[in-house]
Amino acid sequence: MEQITTSLAPPRSSPKVASSTNGGEGAGSVTKRLSNELMNLMMSASPGISAFPKSDANLFEWAGTIEGASGTIYAGLTFRISISFPPNYPYVSPIIKFESPCYHPNVDLAGNICLDILQDKWSAVYSVQTILLSLQSLLGEPNNASPLNNDAANLWDSPEEFKVQLMKYYRPIGNDSA
Amino acid sequence: MATPLGERAFAEHVKSKLDATFQKINDGAPGVSGLAKFTKAWMYGREFLFPRDIRTQERKEFDQEAFKETFEILGKSKQLWRVIETFTQDLRRQLPLIDEEVLEFMRQYQETEDVTIIRRMIMRVAEWWKAWAPVPELGSPIMTAFNMEFQTHFFSILPPTFPSAFKALCASTLGQPADPEMWQTFETLGLLDRYENLVASVCYEQIEARVQETCVGEWSQPMLSQLRSWMADDIVQWMIMPYARAARNPEETRSMLHGVGSRFDFHVCKTLCDLRTTEIFDIIVDFPDSMPALIDLKECLQRVDQRSELVSTLRSLYDHLLIELLANRKRLLHPGADTKDILHQYVSMIRCLRVIDPPGVLLHKVADPVRRYLRERPDTIRSIVSSLVGEGGDLVDENEPIQPLHVQVEDYSDPNWEPEAIDAGPEFRTNKPSDVISTLVSIYDSKDLFVKELQVLLAQRLLAITDGNFDKERRNIEILKIRFGEAALQVCEVMLRDMTDSRRIDQHVQSQKPCLMHPTIISKHFWPPLQTGKLQMPGQYKEILETYSKEFTAFKQDKKLRYLPQLGTLDLTIELTDRTLDVHVPPLEAAVIELFSTKDEWILDDLSKELNVDSSAVRQALDTWVDYGVVSEDKLHHFVLLETSESGSAAGPSRPAAPRTDKSLKEFVGKPAVVENEAAPVMSAQQQEAEQMRVYWKFIEGMLTNLGTLPLDRIQTMLRFAPGYSRSIEQLGVFMEAARREGLVVNTNGLWKLSK
């Protein structure tokens, strides 16, 4: 038994290493990973976050929804985001943008997001679900040290004024949905 | 009166001509005696040739001397052409004499449809012809002129019904003794030339009728050879008359019949080929009983180029079939059955088309839609693999040689090499030696999927073996090794080794310390994931497990056992006050009853907690014991041990005897699918449905949350992402409607959205 185990173990693992560098096989495994993530996300029932592929033809483009967590200034507001997975996902982070206007210190007016795990802190162990949860918490706890929206960062400490600005930009989703 | 010069010259000319002619006719005889002789000859000649009404006048006696003299004179005076001309004119005048008779015959025929009337008519006309025909001594020009005149007139008076009547007459001679006289007459009257097509069509129709009569649905014997011998016996005999009358010996007959014969043989092939093409679907269904029909078809196709017809017939058939299957699947919600069916069909088709066309070009052309369909079915691989290992193995022909599953490279040094068929497409790859399984496996781009599925299946089968006889599986693996190669099946090899090693290890452990349990020890990394459960075996089982584990570790120091207790079975003897029960039960049942040996009354939830098992599963186990009459549910979720059977009056005071002795707890891992069933109470089909729909609902919720409003068909296509989704859009519609009634969604103008 031992002999078999030891003699067989290395060849079993080596094709796996090879396959991750192999582009052709990679696409299939990315699709598989995304399918699994979708399944997990659908069955996880985390409140206030959700995402789904935009069309049945392309698993690499998703639309997402984030609700502001209760108790934060964003409570009750819902934002639409877009998630675009690169072909070499999960070795490279997905590109995420706010589609509906979001007045937030770390979100610029075009919807770009400044979040460490989407940039240099990205790791393949993260998933759509963890990203969505991070974004949800980012809403309530912005990183004012590296703002993309300086006005918002400056206003953050005066919640009332911030809320006014927030609501000026906010567009409830659902009206624009196709 | 002065004569103008021109007139005189003209008169001179006429005179000289007249003289010359006179001289010619008079034959230089003195006076006009020559002329008189000529006149006599002319009169005789005309009289001799004159077409009389044969009904009223006898033909004049043919006088050799007088005839010879006459035509000598006429020939000498170079007036023969005039005789012919006069004869032709006379003929034209006289020909209408036959009209009356011909029309009378035709009228009779129309009344009676009796073809002998036509024969009589033709023979009668031939009598006229014979009476009028100039003697052959007069040379062929006059004969030709006569024939032309005669036939032109004859054909012109024939009514439009004649061709069909004539055909009927020809057909009536089939199978009758030869009638050379009639056929000779046909030729004399030019009927054969004129109606050649009709004569041929008699044959064609015979062939078609014969094929219809003898071959329809008759696939179990070779019909082509029968048809050919029928042709040789019946038709060729007949063909001698129209086509080879003039032959003097069999040699000549053969050569004269050769051309027309091969035309008819072609027609035989074509007719049979057409028939078989229309029948092809049923022929395939009937395979292998329909083998002779396929061989016929193959031979026909070599003669007749109808491959493309066959391809298009098959393709449209399969398109229809697939559409039907898809419709069926939606209706029956039963994806398993039709994959097997279609696979079966496909395999029959492979076999059939390989008979017809060994290089596989036809198959390649036809199979595409079927293969695409199969590729999309989730259970195709499973079906193929299970037939590979001999479950429902009608897909695999036992007698077929097992061949390695490698892509064949063209071997040009092969003396039997044949070029690709002419209609092979560019993407056609020669795969001559491939067998059915190779063709099936080639539905998918790689064989890895098969190997994986094979492992799962092998795992199930190995674990289901209780008598320790793995020979069959070993043989399967050996066969599969030939197909898939050693390397691919190494894992399977390890699995097999595990099984035999288990026995060896068990023997060793038992020798150290006898134990009731006989586990199967498997190497985790080489087996497909097995259902793991959290079941904690209580009481004596726990002890057994632990003891065994200890012994094992002593024997294999670097290994640790991890039990999958839910996969075994137990033979228990339960001793109660008034009865003893021998039962064969799954571990959970055993665990439950073990707990009852410590305490007579249990609440469902407590049992569940004690065993670390879902309460619904525990309830199911309890139900087993309720069925055995060992426990009963006296209140909801409250169970008591029936120390004495319920019918036997009062409850006895004694303790339940522990399930004891003869207990062989075999760690026996069942099929994952089966395990699922064991873990959960048997769900009704509706419950399962509801459970699945709960998953789908999550997806629907997800897509509606993120994509806003969607029409039903978009939801249907997006549910592709949900694993195993196979509902029809109608079912989805019903489901959405139910969700709407529950207030989960709203529908405006056919668009669904979440209600918030």
Side-chain angles (χ1 to χ4, degrees):
Chain A
M1 179 75 77
E2 293 95 317
Q3 286 87 339
I4 297 169
T5 321
T6 45
S7 67
L8 284 180
R12 259 178 69 82
S13 55
S14 56
K16 264 185 198 157
V17 177
S19 74
S20 62
T21 53
N22 180 329
E25 215 167 298
S29 64
V30 178
T31 314
K32 198 168 172 225
R33 157 124 185 184
L34 288 175
S35 303
N36 283 340
E37 286 201 17
L38 179 63
M39 183 68 185
N40 289 338
L41 185 64
M42 287 303 107
M43 301 317 288
S44 71
S46 314
I49 58 163
S50 177
F52 206 82
K54 284 178 182 169
S55 88
D56 59 309
N58 187 357
L59 200 51
F60 288 78
E61 297 290 336
W62 290 24
T65 312
I66 296 175
E67 279 175 36
S70 57
T72 69
I73 200 159
Y74 290 89
L77 304 186
T78 310
F79 298 93
R80 173 81 17 104
I81 61 168
S82 71
I83 309 172
S84 177
F85 295 96
N88 46 355
Y89 180 80
Y91 301 104
V92 172
S93 69
I95 296 159
I96 300 192
K97 280 176 75 170
F98 273 91
E99 291 293 301
S100 50
C102 177
Y103 188 76
H104 186 276
N106 300 109
V107 179
D108 73 9
L109 295 177
N112 298 313
I113 305 163
C114 176
L115 180 61
D116 52 359
I117 65 158
L118 291 179
Q119 278 118 30
D120 50 337
K121 293 274 168 42
W122 171 254
S123 150
V125 302
Y126 292 140
S127 67
V128 179
Q129 198 179 351
T130 55
I131 294 168
L132 290 174
L133 285 169
S134 304
L135 281 175
Q136 196 182 30
S137 64
L138 181 72
L139 285 180
E141 300 155 24
N143 177 4
N144 282 318
S146 58
L148 278 180
N149 183 338
N150 283 319
D151 289 347
N154 295 336
L155 270 182
W156 180 254
D157 290 331
S158 32
E160 268 158 40
E161 282 177 60
F162 188 90
K163 181 85 181 181
V164 171
Q165 283 299 317
L166 174 59
M167 293 316 287
K168 216 165 93 185
Y169 283 95
Y170 180 70
R171 296 278 175 278
I173 60 169
N175 304 337
D176 58 351
S177 54
Chain B
M1 194 163 85
T3 328
L5 190 65
E7 232 169 74
R8 189 179 302 147
F10 177 70
E12 288 280 323
H13 180 74
V14 169
K15 187 178 171 356
S16 72
K17 274 277 173 199
L18 197 65
D19 284 349
T21 310
F22 174 76
Q23 282 303 321
K24 231 190 272 172
I25 297 172
N26 204 19
D27 196 20
V32 291
S33 67
L35 193 60
K37 223 161 128 201
F38 173 80
T39 310
K40 202 179 146 217
W42 172 266
M43 293 302 283
Y44 178 80
R46 185 172 171 194
E47 178 71 15
F48 174 72
L49 286 173
F50 189 79
R52 282 167 191 77
D53 186 341
I54 61 170
R55 286 168 297 185
T56 53
Q57 283 170 287
E58 287 295 306
R59 185 162 195 171
K60 253 187 124 182
E61 241 356 80
F62 177 63
D63 182 346
Q64 189 83 31
E65 279 300 305
F67 171 80
K68 207 170 163 195
E69 197 184 328
T70 301
F71 284 94
E72 217 164 85
I73 294 166
L74 290 173
K76 213 184 257 171
S77 52
K78 305 223 185 329
Q79 294 300 315
L80 205 52
W81 62 274
R82 256 189 216 290
V83 177
I84 296 173
E85 210 174 75
T86 316
F87 170 63
T88 316
Q89 277 162 13
D90 290 341
L91 187 63
R92 278 189 199 140
R93 256 198 312 278
Q94 293 294 88
L95 267 170
L97 287 174
I98 66 171
D99 292 10
E100 205 181 304
E101 285 191 348
V102 168
L103 293 176
E104 173 59 23
F105 275 119
M106 285 311 293
R107 201 186 51 73
Q108 280 184 29
Y109 171 74
Q110 268 156 32
E111 270 170 21
T112 59
E113 303 246 315
D114 179 3
V115 287
T116 56
I117 293 173
I118 298 296
R119 183 177 186 279
R120 286 216 306 281
M121 175 190 91
I122 290 169
M123 299 313 269
R124 177 65 181 168
V125 172
E127 276 172 42
W128 288 92
W129 184 90
K130 266 184 221 139
W132 291 355
V135 284
E137 283 85 345
L138 286 176
S140 64
I142 188 167
M143 197 66 201
T144 312
F146 167 73
N147 263 333
M148 206 167 93
E149 286 298 328
F150 193 92
Q151 286 174 12
T152 309
H153 182 77
F154 178 42
F155 295 153
S156 75
I157 59 165
L158 285 173
T161 48
F162 179 75
S164 61
F166 180 68
K167 198 167 137 188
L169 174 60
C170 291
S172 76
T173 63
L174 271 161
Q176 302 293 322
D179 185 355
E181 189 197 353
M182 184 182 81
W183 289 102
Q184 187 55 56
T185 312
F186 287 171
E187 183 163 23
T188 310
L189 294 180
L191 286 168
L192 273 191
D193 278 348
R194 187 175 166 87
Y195 293 117
E196 195 191 359
N197 287 342
L198 279 182
V199 176
S201 74
V202 167
C203 251
Y204 288 147
E205 279 168 20
Q206 280 297 313
I207 290 168
E208 282 156 22
R210 178 78 180 188
V211 168
Q212 277 298 323
E213 184 187 314
T214 61
C215 303
V216 174
E218 182 59 61
W219 306 317
S220 55
Q221 43 182 320
M223 294 311 294
L224 188 60
S225 56
Q226 286 190 22
L227 283 173
R228 281 185 168 148
S229 63
W230 167 77
M231 282 289 290
D233 294 347
D234 294 11
I235 299 298
V236 171
Q237 214 49 45
W238 179 83
M239 275 158 49
I240 291 175
M241 277 299 121
Y243 295 108
R245 245 178 355 271
R248 279 160 308 203
N249 53 44
E251 204 58 44
E252 273 186 26
T253 313
R254 200 164 307 138
S255 72
M256 285 170 96
L257 284 180
H258 185 264
V260 39
S262 80
R263 233 166 65 206
F264 289 142
D265 185 55
F266 181 89
H267 197 72
V268 169
C269 290
K270 183 175 166 352
T271 315
L272 187 61
C273 187
D274 287 346
L275 176 69
R276 292 295 185 240
T277 303
T278 58
E279 292 175 332
I280 189 71
F281 189 78
D282 295 321
I283 292 179
I284 291 176
V285 172
D286 252 29
F287 187 86
D289 294 343
S290 55
M291 190 70 171
L294 290 166
I295 293 171
D296 279 354
L297 185 55
K298 177 189 180 182
E299 228 173 292
C300 289
L301 281 174
Q302 280 165 355
R303 187 97 167 74
V304 191
D305 183 28
Q306 303 234 28
R307 288 161 69 98
S308 54
E309 278 82 350
L310 183 64
V311 167
S312 62
T313 308
L314 272 171
R315 273 199 87 129
S316 74
L317 270 174
Y318 277 92
D319 284 347
H320 277 286
L321 180 75
L322 292 182
I323 289 166
E324 226 164 80
L325 274 176
L326 288 170
N328 244 359
R329 185 181 79 205
K330 284 181 177 162
R331 206 167 49 241
L332 297 177
L333 253 184
H334 201 249
D338 55 352
T339 302
K340 269 236 161 65
D341 291 351
I342 191 89
L343 255 181
H344 197 81
Q345 261 291 322
Y346 180 45
V347 167
S348 296
M349 182 168 82
I350 293 173
R351 296 220 176 98
C352 292
L353 291 188
R354 273 196 326 183
V355 172
I356 300 173
D357 170 58
V361 178
L362 283 184
L363 180 64
H364 181 86
K365 293 194 158 202
V366 173
D368 235 30
V370 188
R371 290 165 68 88
R372 223 175 311 125
Y373 172 80
L374 284 172
R375 207 177 299 143
E376 283 166 10
R377 308 282 316 136
D379 51 347
T380 302
I381 294 189
R382 175 161 287 257
S383 302
I384 296 174
V385 170
S386 56
S387 70
L388 273 180
V389 296
E391 281 179 3
D394 47 352
L395 290 186
V396 188
D397 187 351
E398 293 284 323
N399 306 322
E400 244 173 60
I402 300 147
Q403 278 154 348
L405 200 67
H406 294 303
V407 183
Q408 299 289 328
V409 192
E410 285 249 40
D411 177 9
Y412 293 101
S413 62
D414 178 4
N416 297 320
W417 181 87
E418 273 180 45
E420 283 175 2
I422 193 97
D423 50 351
E427 75 280 20
F428 174 71
R429 295 278 167 274
T430 180
N431 51 355
K432 264 172 272 180
S434 68
D435 57 0
V436 170
I437 289 300
S438 314
T439 316
L440 286 179
V441 172
S442 71
I443 291 175
Y444 297 88
D445 294 332
S446 92
K447 58 185 181 186
D448 296 356
L449 289 168
F450 284 88
V451 175
K452 278 215 184 82
E453 190 63 41
L454 201 62
Q455 285 169 24
V456 173
L457 203 74
L458 182 69
Q460 292 171 10
R461 289 168 65 90
L462 286 178
L463 294 174
I465 292 172
T466 49
D467 58 359
N469 184 359
F470 306 112
D471 290 351
K472 192 165 166 244
E473 300 308 319
R474 181 165 297 286
R475 189 177 153 269
N476 272 334
I477 297 290
E478 291 303 324
I479 291 172
L480 292 169
K481 262 190 198 164
I482 303 174
R483 286 191 202 283
F484 291 98
E486 291 268 341
L489 288 180
Q490 224 157 15
V491 174
C492 295
E493 192 66 11
V494 174
M495 288 163 68
L496 258 181
R497 272 286 288 276
D498 277 355
M499 298 307 284
T500 44
D501 283 356
S502 295
R503 288 172 67 77
R504 208 162 42 78
I505 294 168
D506 188 48
Q507 271 163 16
H508 175 84
V509 174
Q510 299 284 354
S511 70
Q512 298 298 311
K513 192 166 188 178
C515 179
L516 289 170
M517 179 178 74
H518 302 283
T520 297
I521 301 156
I522 62 175
S523 318
K524 185 177 176 225
H525 288 290
F526 292 87
W527 285 68
L530 295 167
Q531 192 77 16
T532 52
K534 299 192 188 93
L535 172 64
Q536 302 274 342
M537 293 304 276
Q540 51 177 332
Y541 306 118
K542 196 171 168 190
E543 266 166 53
I544 293 172
L545 291 173
E546 277 166 6
T547 318
Y548 200 100
S549 203
K550 217 174 282 163
E551 283 302 319
F552 177 81
T553 316
F555 180 48
K556 298 259 176 192
Q557 306 211 330
D558 54 342
K559 296 270 169 66
K560 226 187 125 197
L561 276 184
R562 213 176 67 209
Y563 290 107
L564 299 170
Q566 77 279 15
L567 296 174
T569 53
L570 298 94
D571 293 316
L572 300 181
T573 303
I574 300 166
E575 292 179 352
L576 298 158
T577 329
D578 60 342
R579 62 199 188 278
T580 308
L581 281 175
D582 285 313
V583 289
H584 180 79
V585 290
L588 181 60
E589 269 81 345
V592 167
I593 207 66
E594 174 75 12
L595 288 177
F596 272 99
S597 71
T598 59
K599 200 171 101 178
D600 280 1
E601 292 179 22
W602 284 90
I603 292 169
L604 183 63
D605 286 346
D606 292 347
L607 281 172
S608 165
K609 227 171 278 165
E610 195 77 23
L611 298 169
N612 198 14
V613 173
D614 190 49
S615 63
S616 60
V618 175
R619 167 166 276 280
Q620 206 209 343
L622 281 164
D623 285 346
T624 310
W625 294 119
V626 171
D627 286 346
Y628 277 121
V630 176
V631 296
S632 81
E633 185 173 8
D634 62 348
K635 293 193 284 278
L636 189 66
H637 301 323
H638 187 267
F639 292 83
V640 289
L641 185 76
L642 297 173
E643 191 59 43
T644 53
S645 83
E646 238 168 5
S647 48
S649 62
S654 64
R655 281 191 44 76
R660 44 122 239 181
T661 59
D662 184 31
K663 225 178 339 172
S664 66
L665 170 63
K666 255 198 189 157
E667 259 264 52
F668 136 53
V669 197
K671 301 183 186 184
V674 174
V675 171
E676 267 172 65
N677 281 344
E678 281 175 4
V682 181
M683 280 204 266
S684 72
Q686 284 152 335
Q687 277 172 313
Q688 285 178 15
E689 179 100 332
E691 178 58 25
Q692 280 179 329
M693 271 311 186
R694 198 180 63 82
V695 176
Y696 301 146
W697 168 249
K698 291 282 183 194
F699 276 80
I700 295 168
E701 204 177 17
M703 69 180 85
L704 291 178
T705 307
N706 294 295
L707 306 176
T709 60
L710 290 174
L712 193 62
D713 55 337
R714 277 290 301 285
I715 298 177
Q716 172 77 1
T717 52
M718 295 290 253
L719 276 172
R720 195 171 72 84
F721 292 125
Y725 182 76
S726 62
R727 301 303 145 90
S728 71
I729 192 158
E730 290 78 18
Q731 289 171 320
L732 178 67
V734 172
F735 178 73
M736 292 303 287
E737 200 47 44
R740 190 186 62 77
R741 281 197 298 273
E742 285 183 34
L744 297 168
V745 287
V746 288
N747 183 350
T748 40
N749 303 327
L751 294 173
W752 292 95
K753 76 179 208 195
L754 293 173
S755 57
K756 287 227 163 139

